[in-house]
Amino acid sequence: MNYYINVILPIPLQKLFTYKITEAEATFLNKGMRVAVEFGKSKVYTALVYKIHNEPPIGYEAKDIHQILDETPIVNEFQLKHWEWIANYYMCSLGEVYRAALPSAFLLESETVIQLLQNFSNENILSNEEFLVFEALQHQSQLSIQQIIEIIGKKTIFPIIKDLIRKNVITVKEQIYEQYKPKLIKYIHLKGEWSTSSKLNELLESLSRAKKQRDVVLSYFQLQATKKPIKVLELQKKSNCSAAIIKSLVDKGIFEYYFLQTDRINFTGNTSEIKELTKHQQIAYNEIKKTFKTKQTTLLKGITSSGKTEIYVKLIKDLLKEGKQVLYLLPEIALTTQLIERLQYYFGEYLSVFHSKYSMNERVEVWNNVLNSKQKAQLILGARSSLFLPFSNLKLIIVDEEHEPSFKQYDPAPRYHARDASIVLAKMHHANVLLGSATPSIESYYNAKQGKYGFVELNRRFGDVLLPEIELVDIKEKYRKKRMKGHFSDRLIQMITEALEYKEQVILFQNRRGYAPFVECETCGTSPQCPQCDVSLTFHNYKNELRCHYCGYRQAMPHNCSACGSEKLNTKGFGTEQIEMELEELFPTAKIGRMDLDTTRGKYGYQKILGKFQAKEIDILVGTQMLSKGLDFANVSLVGILNADHMLNFPDFRAHERSYQLMVQVSGRAGRVKKRGKVAIQTFNPFHQILQQVSTNSFEEMYKEQIDERWQYHYPPFFRLIKITLRDKDYNRVDEAANWLGKSLTAIFKENVLGPSIPSISRVRNYYIRTIIVKIPQKNSLTATKKHLMRVKNTFQAIKEFRAIRFNIDVDNY
Ligand code: ADP
Ligand code: ZN
Ligand code: ZN
């Protein structure tokens, strides 16, 4: 009998590849375990076993696997089923989902490069094979996995690399891969033979003149009374003795060290009782529970600061008691320490956080804890990718701020929407989903109205604080009357002055999009462009340089115009940095902080700034989008939006919806606890319907208008959209290809094809871009549409000149 496996390779391959295994391997291997295999031109990949069977593949000879990498499955059936749905729905390969789902430490690859660690010299501890690698690294600064295979002359090299890493000989260079090393903690215990009381007395007797050693033994017994394993460090502290003294007792054979693996994500500290819900919160909570009996998904529309989080907390509490798993999804950026702290406070040892800013090791740890249904991973708080964790007992998924665009992954594939994918995941687990927002997305609100989702509303702020008073400031008028100082109207200046007088804090919001400051030549009007993209470079005052926000290109600020040589270069537009500078002039005694992509890099970037703001070390905080999300500060009484027009005029069918959401969310940061807050929105167009709706808090009206437009112009939720993007370095070729594709699609989908069009940023990193959108009416089968689309794609890629063109499909691209 021959044995074969089908595996998922972490690459965009439509079919599952087959490998041959031995009978012994067949008894050991299971679905969901990883194997190292060779694919293509002797490249080695970490593949996932999908199926074990006896059918040889048709059309090629199955290769042997290199080795088995796991002892037990690291991926479960729920996940595989969910991945299949994602691959299918979002039109990508299972391999792409696999790649996105696993922490990259699980995906060792042949492109991985290793390097020698500087200070290693003890060659004696190396095996012969290890030495070969070590020696090769004396001549060559780095080696790829492939080269190591050649040096050693065999393919099962992963254990050798692992050992070399463990022995601190080498390190993995690529960021993609960090060796997973469980963190070990040193513990200590008394050796068995001393545990009888007679032996013990003898011991203490013998130490009567070694006072310090005696102290150690006595402290040990005091610690032992707590019945917990004793850390060496604890013992040291308790006995007030040095490590050397403890070691001398170990050397005498009285104590013994041992090591335990610990999680590096350890929340200690005390937890507290959850808050008692107010009457209105309790009603909402009861209603949610009730809807869950008949609806899988419920939308909770609760105004800002109504206490949605407290309701989530209550729901979570119930389920943790029952031993169930809960996933709490947040938009990436909102993973503020504020919420983590709040949940930690309630759930302490039950909570794990899964986040892209965490290290590889931390992520592997969370993965393993979820896989093994550990208590400390019963509640997972994370961004969209935590959807891929190996849950087996999931009972509730909370999608907080469900309207947030960052739940959608744009690049690379899988281009999934975490809210939608979580509803499917929940179905597989027979779990519920709670979507929460003060400003639900049009789609979710529509689904709730249609009865597809349960619907619960919470219209009172905690403490009955009123929603902020919103004032629209007409800056066209202000400019005309010369009542503007820089970008600030006299009215906004007055409001800030008042807030500062009362020692209250101010948040100023500056939408980033389109407001990046750029440089313009006063003489000829030219602005410096990115050499690789079709955009103007952004001016960064702080480093006095120009940067491209699309590809990262940077250059020093030039002294004269590259077109005409003039030295008269002006900076235009206004970014957060410029606002900060203007504020410093207007309010010289105020402390000003800035929160944007530049000031929040690194794991603790946000934390630092928000911590300062919380501690009132900052009076005025200027920031971008990030400020709108979930922040809860008691002392903020004023929120200013510097210019509302640009977001309203953004060319996208969602621009109005998004502007409404953004402005309401930012406004929601004002006056959350004590007294009613104020909001000033500066605009050239105070009669714009969206601004009117924001200022009167008319979500319903906004929704009605938007849904009418969606209906009229064939947009979601009435039509689904699939966007195709072509990219190529050759302008003419991509143009020709886009025309070909447009024609072929129009032949099938008729008037439901938009484009090909040239996007407003038509070249990025030297790739020219064309897009086509296919609209799918509700009555049409999505499956059939996708089939047609795949057929066209295959024909497209069979055309020789088009083969190299990048072809991306994005389902529900909004
Ligand atoms: P939302 O998530 O709806 O914006 P939060 O849950 O952040 O609102 O609540 C706003 C503020 O009110 C928080 O500071 C929170 O601690 C407080 N709060 C809400 N509900 C209660 C309650 N039942 N008891 C005590 N404080 C509450
Ligand atoms: Zn010029
Ligand atoms: Zn660029």
Side-chain angles (χ1 to χ4, degrees):
M1 188 78 112
N2 287 321
Y3 293 90
Y4 297 94
I5 50 172
N6 291 351
V7 300
I8 306 174
L9 288 159
I11 48 176
L13 194 69
Q14 280 307 325
K15 283 198 160 167
L16 296 184
F17 226 64
T18 304
Y19 289 85
K20 203 169 168 192
I21 52 171
T22 64
E23 191 171 348
E25 283 166 339
T27 56
F28 185 75
L29 266 180
N30 270 311
K31 190 170 177 179
M33 283 161 65
R34 291 168 309 151
V35 290
V37 298
E38 196 174 295
F39 181 80
K41 286 211 176 77
S42 62
K43 275 190 177 169
V44 181
Y45 288 100
T46 313
L48 193 74
V49 178
Y50 186 77
K51 194 174 166 195
I52 303 167
H53 56 91
N54 307 106
E55 301 288 323
I58 297 164
Y60 61 94
E61 182 84 17
K63 287 184 200 164
D64 295 327
I65 63 169
H66 287 186
Q67 71 182 118
I68 298 174
L69 297 170
D70 293 309
E71 288 171 14
T72 49
I74 61 157
V75 170
N76 68 32
E77 294 276 352
F78 284 113
Q79 288 172 287
L80 289 168
K81 226 170 104 193
H82 190 226
W83 296 3
E84 269 165 36
W85 179 83
I86 290 181
N88 202 352
Y89 185 86
Y90 293 104
M91 301 182 78
C92 63
S93 73
L94 258 183
E96 284 167 315
V97 187
Y98 169 49
R99 190 180 187 98
L102 262 70
S104 31
F106 280 137
L107 296 168
L108 190 53
E109 290 178 3
S110 53
E111 287 95 88
T112 307
V113 170
I114 61 156
Q115 276 182 321
L116 206 57
L117 273 177
Q118 280 311 316
N119 45 15
F120 180 80
S121 55
N122 187 6
E123 295 161 25
N124 299 332
I125 65 164
L126 301 180
S127 72
N128 288 343
E129 284 172 340
E130 288 165 8
F131 185 74
L132 285 177
V133 178
F134 174 71
E135 200 187 40
L137 282 170
Q138 309 289 320
H139 306 294
Q140 219 171 324
S141 66
Q142 57 184 50
L143 293 172
S144 69
I145 298 289
Q146 197 49 46
Q147 288 170 312
I148 299 170
I149 291 178
E150 279 154 27
I151 291 165
I152 297 185
K154 71 174 190 189
K155 301 199 159 167
T156 52
I157 56 141
F158 288 124
I160 300 171
I161 294 175
K162 260 192 197 157
D163 279 346
L164 283 168
I165 293 172
R166 191 175 50 78
K167 292 177 182 174
N168 287 324
V169 184
I170 59 165
T171 176
V172 170
K173 190 184 166 201
E174 241 176 334
Q175 273 191 323
I176 314 176
Y177 176 76
E178 272 178 45
Q179 171 72 1
Y180 171 64
K181 271 185 291 192
K183 193 170 156 193
L184 293 178
I185 298 254
K186 201 168 171 185
Y187 288 86
I188 192 159
H189 66 167
L190 197 67
K191 284 185 111 178
E193 61 252 46
W194 300 101
S195 56
T196 65
S197 56
S198 62
K199 269 287 192 187
L200 204 60
N201 283 332
E202 198 179 306
L203 172 65
L204 289 171
E205 190 74 13
S206 75
L207 293 177
S208 59
R209 248 162 296 149
K211 180 173 175 306
K212 291 231 153 184
Q213 296 190 4
R214 213 180 123 98
D215 284 351
V216 171
V217 176
L218 290 174
S219 304
Y220 176 84
F221 280 106
Q222 281 172 11
L223 283 173
Q224 207 192 23
T226 63
K227 298 213 168 33
K228 277 197 269 185
I230 297 164
K231 290 181 192 151
V232 174
L233 281 178
E234 267 175 329
L235 183 57
Q236 227 173 292
K237 210 166 133 199
K238 180 94 189 161
S239 62
N240 206 6
C241 291
S242 68
I245 292 178
I246 297 178
K247 184 163 182 300
S248 69
L249 286 165
V250 172
D251 291 342
K252 278 189 191 170
I254 296 167
F255 281 108
E256 193 173 47
Y257 294 134
Y258 65 106
F259 293 86
L260 286 182
Q261 186 179 321
T262 67
D263 290 306
R264 62 201 75 215
I265 315 150
N266 245 329
F267 294 140
T268 47
N270 296 326
T271 54
S272 81
E273 278 304 304
I274 67 173
K275 292 193 171 113
E276 201 167 316
L277 296 185
T278 63
K279 193 176 98 214
H280 291 95
Q281 290 167 346
Q282 185 66 40
I283 293 171
Y285 164 85
N286 292 343
E287 280 179 38
I288 292 168
K289 285 249 180 175
K290 206 169 102 203
T291 57
F292 276 170
K293 291 197 180 120
T294 54
K295 308 275 185 201
Q296 190 223 353
T297 302
T298 290
L299 173 63
L300 169 63
K301 178 173 176 290
I303 57 174
T304 52
S305 204
S306 57
K308 293 185 288 298
T309 318
E310 303 299 333
I311 294 179
Y312 304 153
V313 163
K314 185 86 178 5
L315 289 164
I316 295 169
K317 186 92 181 177
D318 298 344
L319 293 170
L320 293 184
K321 251 189 277 166
E322 294 171 27
K324 307 289 191 202
Q325 293 171 325
V326 178
L327 172 60
Y328 190 138
L329 284 178
L330 278 169
E332 188 96 49
I333 232 148
L335 279 173
T336 56
T337 34
Q338 260 196 336
L339 184 72
I340 298 178
E341 275 167 15
R342 209 159 141 192
L343 292 179
Q344 227 169 294
Y345 196 53
Y346 294 137
F347 301 118
E349 71 275 27
Y350 290 91
L351 173 70
S352 288
V353 180
F354 192 75
H355 183 209
S356 63
K357 275 189 183 172
Y358 279 10
S359 78
M360 226 62 82
N361 286 338
E362 288 168 316
R363 276 188 276 168
V364 168
E365 240 155 46
V366 175
W367 183 284
N368 286 334
N369 286 338
V370 176
L371 184 68
N372 299 317
S373 301
K374 289 272 176 67
Q375 177 188 294
K376 71 170 300 160
Q378 242 178 281
L379 170 60
I380 299 290
L381 177 69
R384 58 171 186 255
S385 63
S386 39
L387 205 64
F388 292 117
L389 287 166
F391 297 104
S392 52
N393 186 20
L394 195 58
K395 206 59 200 157
L396 174 66
I397 303 179
I398 294 165
V399 185
D400 194 16
E401 312 288 1
E402 67 87 28
H403 63 278
E404 271 297 324
S406 48
F407 280 123
K408 164 82 179 174
Q409 161 136 336
Y410 289 100
D411 257 320
R415 300 183 173 83
Y416 64 103
H417 196 297
R419 176 194 59 218
D420 302 343
S422 74
I423 290 173
V424 174
L425 180 68
K427 216 168 258 163
M428 291 170 180
H429 283 271
H430 302 290
N432 286 115
V433 178
L434 182 62
L435 308 177
S437 175
T439 52
S441 63
I442 299 286
E443 287 79 11
S444 295
Y445 199 61
Y446 174 79
N447 282 331
K449 292 227 146 188
Q450 296 289 305
K452 194 169 156 195
Y453 297 164
F455 182 64
V456 176
E457 223 170 343
L458 189 55
N459 281 328
R460 229 175 250 248
R461 285 188 139 188
F462 175 70
D464 288 334
V465 182
L466 288 175
L467 277 173
E469 190 181 343
I470 297 177
E471 186 174 325
L472 300 173
V473 181
D474 182 349
I475 46 175
K476 192 153 84 199
E477 181 79 5
K478 297 285 182 194
Y479 273 112
R480 203 172 52 79
K481 295 188 175 157
K482 306 222 177 326
R483 292 205 180 138
M484 295 291 288
K485 282 190 182 151
H487 297 95
F488 291 83
S489 61
D490 54 355
R491 177 66 186 139
L492 183 55
I493 293 173
Q494 183 196 357
M495 289 166 91
I496 297 174
T497 311
E498 276 170 21
L500 293 178
E501 266 168 24
Y502 284 111
K503 302 257 176 284
E504 290 160 350
Q505 288 169 296
V506 178
I507 286 179
L508 292 179
F509 172 76
Q510 169 56 25
N511 190 27
R512 192 165 56 100
R513 236 174 196 164
Y515 276 123
F518 60 100
V519 173
E520 196 178 76
C521 169
E522 207 173 284
T523 313
C524 75
T526 304
S527 326
Q529 301 285 308
C530 174
Q532 309 180 74
C533 311
D534 166 33
V535 289
S536 297
L537 292 167
T538 303
F539 175 61
H540 285 249
N541 182 59
Y542 175 64
K543 290 214 160 144
N544 198 32
E545 66 181 11
L546 300 177
R547 285 191 211 159
C548 171
H549 284 185
Y550 287 82
C551 73
Y553 169 88
R554 51 176 72 189
Q555 68 174 63
M557 171 72 184
H559 295 293
N560 31 33
C561 171
S562 62
C564 74
S566 156
E567 284 178 17
K568 288 186 184 151
L569 295 177
N570 289 332
T571 52
K572 292 259 171 150
F574 64 122
T576 42
E577 218 179 294
Q578 203 152 339
I579 297 298
E580 190 186 9
M581 275 162 33
E582 289 183 16
L583 277 170
E584 276 163 6
E585 265 177 41
L586 289 168
F587 304 98
T589 56
K591 284 162 288 179
I592 295 154
R594 175 162 64 95
M595 182 152 138
D596 55 24
L597 274 181
D598 288 334
T599 58
T600 54
R601 285 186 209 293
K603 187 166 166 180
Y604 299 109
Y606 292 108
Q607 205 168 325
K608 264 192 227 148
I609 297 170
L610 295 177
K612 273 190 175 172
F613 195 53
Q614 181 107 52
K616 301 189 190 164
E617 286 164 31
I618 293 174
D619 301 316
I620 307 174
L621 184 60
V622 188
T624 55
Q625 256 78 336
M626 306 175 181
L627 284 180
S628 68
K629 314 209 171 130
L631 299 178
D632 183 25
F633 296 106
N635 195 44
V636 174
S637 68
L638 173 67
V639 166
I641 296 175
L642 287 154
N643 186 323
D645 303 307
H646 210 281
M647 52 180 145
L648 286 167
N649 299 334
F650 197 73
D652 180 86
F653 76 92
R654 275 180 179 278
H656 288 180
E657 177 193 353
R658 291 259 151 89
S659 305
Y660 181 91
Q661 288 162 342
L662 201 53
M663 283 188 267
V664 170
Q665 294 285 351
V666 181
S667 306
R669 305 308 119 208
R672 285 173 73 83
V673 181
K674 282 183 259 168
K675 64 172 201 191
R676 189 173 189 194
K678 285 191 180 149
V679 177
I681 302 178
Q682 299 193 139
T683 171
F684 282 97
N685 189 5
F687 297 104
H688 193 290
Q689 88 265 25
I690 287 288
L691 293 176
Q692 290 294 327
Q693 287 153 2
V694 169
S695 69
T696 53
N697 192 33
S698 312
F699 180 86
E700 200 61 36
E701 194 183 303
M702 183 281 292
Y703 169 77
K704 286 211 183 91
E705 258 180 45
Q706 294 303 313
I707 202 88
D708 280 351
E709 276 184 25
R710 303 280 185 95
W711 171 256
Q712 211 172 339
Y713 299 107
H714 294 187
Y715 278 111
F718 306 105
F719 278 64
R720 284 174 187 280
L721 307 184
I722 296 180
K723 180 175 170 186
I724 299 162
T725 307
L726 302 180
R727 285 192 178 84
D728 197 67
K729 289 199 169 166
D730 184 327
Y731 181 89
N732 293 323
R733 185 162 57 189
V734 79
D735 221 34
E736 196 186 323
N739 288 332
W740 183 96
L741 191 61
K743 273 198 200 111
S744 311
L745 291 172
T746 308
I748 305 169
F749 301 111
K750 311 283 187 275
E751 74 281 3
N752 287 324
V753 176
L754 296 186
S757 38
I758 304 177
S760 60
I761 313 274
S762 67
R763 181 179 56 121
V764 170
R765 291 173 200 273
N766 283 327
Y767 280 83
Y768 295 93
I769 308 169
R770 293 290 180 275
T771 59
I772 294 178
I773 286 178
V774 181
K775 290 182 167 180
I776 309 160
Q778 250 169 355
K779 63 180 188 332
N780 287 19
S781 146
L782 196 58
T783 322
T785 304
K786 287 177 183 168
K787 238 186 223 149
H788 287 309
L789 195 54
M790 276 322 269
R791 206 169 307 139
V792 174
K793 181 182 176 191
N794 289 338
T795 314
F796 177 94
Q797 291 183 323
I799 298 172
K800 209 168 128 226
E801 307 90 86
F802 296 165
R803 200 165 295 158
I805 295 178
R806 300 193 184 183
F807 191 118
N808 284 343
I809 302 183
D810 189 345
V811 179
D812 299 343
N813 68 295
Y814 38 86

